[in-house]
Amino acid sequence: MYFRQIIFYLFILMACAENNESSNLEIPLRSEIDSKYKWDLTAVYATDAEWERDLEKLKALYPEMSDFKGRLLSNSETLLESIKLSETINQYFGKLYHYASNSLNADLTNEKYQEMVQRVRNVAIKSGEVTAYYTPEMLESDYSVLEGFMNEEPELKVYEKDFKDMYIAKPYILSEKEERILTMAGKLSGVPNEAYDIMRATDFKWGTFKDENGNDLTMSPGRYGKYTKSTDRRVREDMYEALYVPFKSSLNTMSVLMKGNVEGHIFYAKSRGYENTLEAKMKGSGISTDIYKNLVNSVNNNLQPLHRWAELKAELLGVDKIKPFDTYAPLAAFSREYTYEEGQQMVLEALQPLLQANDGELQKFTEKMYSENLIDVFENQGKESGAYMSSTWDLPPRIKLNFSGTLDDIFTLAHELGHAYHSYLSQKNQPYPYYGYDTFNAEVASVTTESLLMDYLLANVENDEEKAVLLQNYIQNIGSTYYRQTRFAEFELLIHEAAENGQILTEDFLTTSFGEMYSRYWGPSMEITEEEAYSWSRIPHFYYNYYVYAYATSFAAGEKISERVQNDGQAGIDDFITFLSSGSSDYPVELLNLAGVDMTTSEPFEAVSRKMNFLMDELESILK
C-alpha cells in the first residue's frame, strides 16, 4: 500500500543464465577492470560522505510524519501535506538504497556497503513504526470524505487509485499497534534471504573441474553459462558436479533458511487475515489467484513440446536419455564469441522499429545507457552473479551484467534494456505514485525485446549452421524462461501450501518434491541426477515471495506483443510503448490489454507451445 511508509525502490532481477568468464583462468579483481565497463555511482553520490549526509537528513525528516497523527483527515490541505512529505521521505530511501545496494552488489564481500544497506533498512523499519497509524487512521472515515477532499484540492485527484486501493484492502488493514508490530518484524523476515546471499558470496567453497584443454578451473556461478554449453560431455558433467559441491554440503542449512522464508510469508498472510499466502501476494497486486493457477494448469496440459525437445536432443546427442547438464548442449557446430561492443551494436540494430518511434526517443536513451557508465559489464571477484536492472525515482536506470561473450549474454543485454525502457518511460509519463510497476508486468518488456532480437537474428542468418544455433537458443529460452519458471512457480506454491497444512519443510521433502516435479516436466527422455533434485537450494528467486511465476506469464505476453509488432507494424509498436509508459496507473492485467494481450485466457500459453513445436520442426529440417 502506497501510504504505508516503505522503501519505494524498484529492483528487478532476471533469471538468466549466470554466464560470464574472464579472459584468463582467474576471475579478475574489480580494480583490474577498465572503468568504462563499470557503472559510475558517483553520479548518485559523489562520495560516501554525501550519502551519510542524506541519511542524516532522512533520520531528521521521517519523525515529522508523527505530526499528522490524529488530524490526517481534518482537511484536504493537511492530507496533501502529509502525502507530499511521505513522497519526499520515500525518494530519499530510494536514492540511498540505490547507491548502497548497487555498490554492494559490485562486491558482496565489501563490509562497508553491507553495513550501509542494513542501515537504510533499519531506518526504513523505524520510519514504518512512526507511520503505522497512517492507513488505519485513513480508513476510519468513509470514502466520501476523500471524494470531497479531491473535489476541493485538485492535486489530490492524482492519488485516486491509491485511495480506492486502500479501501479495497480495508479488510486486511490492522490497528495502529498491530501495524507497528508487523513493521518491526520486518527485521526478521529478511534474514533467510540475507543469509542465503552471504553464504553464496563469502562462505561457499566451489568445486574444481578441468576444461576442454585440461586446465584446472575453480567453479563459479559466472562460469556455468559458458561450460554448460561445452561440446565435450565430460566437461559439462564435471562442471555441473563442481557447481553443486557447496550446495550439497549445505543442504540442511538451506532447508532451514527456506523453511524460515516460507514461514515468514505465512506469518504476514495470517496476520492480515488472508486465506493463504498466494491470496496475500496476488490480491495485493489486484490480480486473481486464478491467473497463477491458470498458468500452472495450462503449462501442465501442454508439456508435450518439452518432452519432444528432450527426446529430440537425446537422439541428436546420440544418448538414450539426456541428463540435466545436457539441456544446453549445442546441437550444431557453429559457435562464436562476441565482444561487448559487438553485442551493443546487434541490440541497437535489432530493436530499430522500437527505438525509432517517437522521434528516436529510445534510440537516444539506449545510447545514453551505453555511453554514461550506466551498465556494469564484466564479472569480477565478489560481484553478484546474474543480471538485473535497478531503478529509482529521478535517477536513470542502471544495469548489472556478467558479460562473457556468448550469444546468451547479448540476449541478456536486450532483456535488461527492456526493463530500462519500461522504467524510463513510466517515470517520464507517470506521476511519482504510479511510476513503478507490478511484478506481474515487470518481465513483459524484457521478454519482448529478447523476442525482437531473436526475430532479427533469424531474419539475417548467413547459413544453416547459424540458423540451427539460433533456433536451438530460441527453443531453450522457451524451456528455461517459460517451462522452467512455471515449474519453479508450481514448486513455490506446493511448499507454501504444504507448510500452511502443517508439513515440515525438511531437506528430504524439498528435494523429493523438486526432483519429482523436474522429472514430470521433462518426461521420459530425461534422466534426473542427484544434484538436480536438490537444485531448489540454488534458486535465489524462491526468497522473493511468488515472484517467478511472472517470468512465465511475461514470456507468454512478450511473445504475443512481439508477434503484434511483426504483424501490425507501427500500431503494434505504439501500443507497446503505451504499455511501457503506463507504470502502475491501472491494474496489471488491464494494463496488458493496452498492448493487446488477454492473460485471463489460456491462449497466450497455448501459443507458446505452438511456437515451440514450430521451431523444433524448423530445427529438425536442418539437422536431420
Side-chain angles (χ1 to χ4, degrees):
M1 180 65 63
Y2 167 73
F3 291 103
R4 295 190 203 116
Q5 188 65 39
I6 58 172
I7 299 177
F8 193 77
Y9 177 74
L10 182 59
F11 195 88
I12 299 175
L13 303 174
M14 59 91 69
C16 63
E18 297 165 340
N19 49 356
N20 54 303
E21 171 72 4
S22 59
S23 59
N24 54 40
L25 302 184
E26 296 296 327
I27 299 171
L29 297 171
R30 187 161 182 82
S31 60
E32 296 172 333
I33 295 176
D34 193 312
S35 60
K36 69 180 181 180
Y37 297 117
K38 296 185 288 189
W39 51 30
D40 178 16
L41 291 169
T42 62
V44 183
Y45 287 107
T47 64
D48 290 349
E50 287 191 9
W51 184 92
E52 294 286 355
R53 284 194 287 272
D54 263 8
L55 184 64
E56 291 305 311
K57 290 178 184 177
L58 176 60
K59 289 180 179 179
L61 192 62
Y62 78 77
E64 294 181 16
M65 286 296 296
S66 62
D67 296 342
F68 296 97
K69 184 177 179 180
R71 62 189 191 92
L72 266 180
L73 299 179
S74 57
N75 55 67
S76 58
E77 292 80 6
T78 299
L79 177 59
L80 180 61
E81 185 181 351
S82 72
I83 292 174
K84 292 298 185 182
L85 176 58
S86 178
E87 288 184 337
T88 300
I89 291 169
N90 282 324
Q91 287 166 25
Y92 268 110
F93 274 126
K95 186 177 179 182
L96 288 161
Y97 194 74
H98 184 84
Y99 178 84
S101 63
N102 284 319
S103 297
L104 174 61
N105 290 333
D107 182 2
L108 291 169
T109 65
N110 191 310
E111 293 184 359
K112 177 178 69 173
Y113 291 118
Q114 289 178 21
E115 180 186 0
M116 287 168 69
V117 167
Q118 191 57 56
R119 288 167 64 199
V120 177
R121 289 175 177 168
N122 288 343
V123 174
I125 290 169
K126 291 178 181 178
S127 177
E129 294 174 27
V130 170
T131 56
Y133 73 89
Y134 202 103
T135 301
E137 184 171 327
M138 289 283 289
L139 294 174
E140 288 176 359
S141 298
D142 189 79
Y143 185 72
S144 61
V145 174
L146 291 177
E147 289 179 315
F149 284 173
M150 284 186 282
N151 290 330
E152 293 175 14
E153 176 52 72
E155 283 192 60
L156 286 174
K157 192 69 176 177
V158 72
Y159 304 101
E160 183 173 11
K161 179 177 178 293
D162 272 335
F163 293 148
K164 289 180 178 178
D165 287 347
M166 186 183 299
Y167 275 80
I168 290 173
K170 186 173 182 178
Y172 310 106
I173 302 300
L174 308 179
S175 69
E176 176 188 347
K177 182 178 180 181
E178 290 167 329
E179 289 288 344
R180 184 178 295 111
I181 291 172
L182 289 187
T183 301
M184 293 168 63
K187 283 188 176 182
L188 305 177
S189 62
V191 169
N193 189 19
E194 291 177 25
Y196 173 85
D197 287 343
I198 293 297
M199 281 183 65
R200 286 191 59 160
T202 62
D203 297 340
F204 274 14
K205 304 299 181 184
W206 301 96
T208 60
F209 67 102
K210 292 184 183 293
D211 68 9
E212 294 87 346
N213 299 316
N215 297 309
D216 289 318
L217 297 178
T218 298
M219 188 59 196
S220 74
R223 283 182 165 144
Y224 176 80
K226 177 176 181 178
Y227 291 100
T228 196
K229 291 178 179 163
S230 172
T231 57
D232 187 328
R233 199 176 194 223
R234 191 272 307 166
V235 172
R236 295 198 303 271
E237 184 171 12
D238 289 353
M239 173 279 305
Y240 180 82
E241 291 176 353
L243 174 70
Y244 282 99
V245 166
F247 293 99
K248 184 175 183 178
S249 63
S250 307
L251 279 178
N252 289 324
T253 301
M254 291 293 192
S255 66
V256 172
L257 292 178
M258 185 59 67
K259 176 179 180 294
N261 172 55
V262 172
E263 291 294 345
H265 299 161
I266 294 173
F267 167 74
Y268 282 104
K270 285 187 174 181
S271 295
R272 294 202 175 281
Y274 288 103
E275 186 175 335
N276 50 53
T277 52
L278 182 63
E279 182 187 60
K281 170 64 177 181
M282 304 298 278
K283 267 196 174 182
S285 300
I287 305 173
S288 168
T289 56
D290 291 341
I291 294 287
Y292 196 106
K293 294 176 180 178
N294 181 37
L295 166 69
V296 172
N297 292 334
S298 295
V299 171
N300 273 275
N301 291 334
N302 288 280
L303 289 174
Q304 180 274 333
L306 191 59
H307 294 180
R308 179 189 172 190
W309 176 233
E311 182 180 5
L312 174 61
K313 195 142 203 181
E315 178 185 351
L316 294 172
L317 290 175
V319 296
D320 292 334
K321 293 185 177 183
I322 60 170
K323 292 186 177 182
F325 52 78
D326 294 318
T327 53
Y328 297 101
L331 299 177
F334 179 86
S335 64
R336 178 185 168 187
E337 288 194 8
Y338 303 85
T339 67
Y340 175 60
E341 287 73 17
E342 287 174 325
Q344 288 178 307
Q345 187 60 33
M346 288 168 64
V347 171
L348 278 178
E349 293 174 3
L351 302 184
Q352 278 302 297
L354 175 63
L355 301 186
Q356 290 306 315
N358 294 346
D359 297 322
E361 179 178 16
L362 290 181
Q363 174 84 21
K364 297 169 188 172
F365 172 75
T366 306
E367 292 170 353
K368 174 184 173 74
M369 294 292 295
Y370 283 175
S371 63
E372 297 188 10
N373 290 92
L374 294 168
I375 303 178
D376 203 83
V377 181
F378 297 116
E379 181 181 24
N380 58 255
Q381 292 185 32
K383 184 177 179 180
E384 185 187 52
S385 61
Y388 66 70
M389 186 283 305
S390 67
S391 175
T392 193
W393 181 256
D394 205 31
L395 288 174
R398 282 176 169 77
I399 290 173
K400 179 182 73 66
L401 303 174
N402 278 288
F403 191 91
S404 66
T406 68
L407 185 62
D408 278 349
D409 292 326
I410 298 173
F411 276 92
T412 297
L413 175 59
H415 181 110
E416 301 306 335
L417 281 171
H419 285 311
Y421 299 154
H422 199 174
S423 292
Y424 163 72
L425 288 174
S426 286
Q427 185 172 150
K428 177 186 175 184
N429 292 283
Q430 297 298 326
Y432 178 74
Y434 306 126
Y435 88 93
Y437 39 88
D438 189 80
T439 299
F440 187 76
N441 289 342
E443 298 297 328
V444 173
S446 54
V447 170
T448 303
T449 49
E450 279 197 78
S451 184
L452 291 172
L453 173 59
M454 179 60 77
D455 290 340
Y456 168 82
L457 294 175
L458 284 172
N460 291 276
V461 293
E462 296 180 356
N463 52 61
D464 280 350
E465 289 78 11
E466 185 178 358
K467 184 177 182 181
V469 170
L470 290 171
L471 288 168
Q472 179 183 348
N473 187 288
Y474 208 152
I475 294 166
Q476 287 177 170
N477 195 27
I478 295 175
S480 61
T481 307
Y482 180 67
Y483 285 104
R484 182 172 181 255
Q485 298 300 326
T486 303
R487 174 165 56 86
F488 288 172
E490 184 175 351
F491 177 73
E492 193 171 7
L493 180 60
L494 181 148
I495 62 176
H496 279 80
E497 289 182 338
E500 287 164 347
N501 291 324
Q503 171 72 49
I504 304 300
L505 301 184
T506 63
E507 181 272 322
D508 180 68
F509 174 80
L510 294 167
T511 298
T512 299
S513 300
F514 197 81
E516 290 174 349
M517 198 172 292
Y518 184 91
S519 295
R520 170 162 53 83
Y521 268 69
W522 275 98
S525 295
M526 169 65 77
E527 181 181 344
I528 190 173
T529 61
E530 174 191 5
E531 292 86 357
E532 198 63 40
Y534 59 73
S535 66
W536 59 266
S537 62
R538 78 175 186 95
I539 310 301
H541 291 67
F542 286 149
Y543 292 90
Y544 299 168
N545 191 13
Y546 291 110
Y547 184 87
V548 291
Y549 86 100
Y551 286 113
T553 54
S554 293
F555 187 91
E559 283 292 321
K560 188 70 176 177
I561 293 170
S562 176
E563 181 182 77
R564 282 208 62 212
V565 170
Q566 294 292 331
N567 295 339
D568 299 343
Q570 193 62 46
I573 293 169
D574 291 344
D575 288 346
F576 182 41
I577 289 178
T578 298
F579 165 76
L580 294 178
S581 304
S582 63
S584 56
S585 57
D586 203 344
Y587 297 104
V589 174
E590 284 71 22
L591 289 174
L592 275 176
N593 289 333
L594 298 175
V597 180
D598 184 359
M599 296 303 294
T600 64
T601 70
S602 62
E603 167 55 27
F605 309 119
E606 292 169 0
V608 175
S609 298
R610 292 195 299 270
K611 182 68 169 285
M612 188 169 178
N613 275 318
F614 167 76
L615 294 169
M616 284 188 286
D617 290 341
E618 290 283 297
L619 184 61
E620 281 188 289
S621 70
I622 295 174
L623 297 182
K624 289 191 175 183

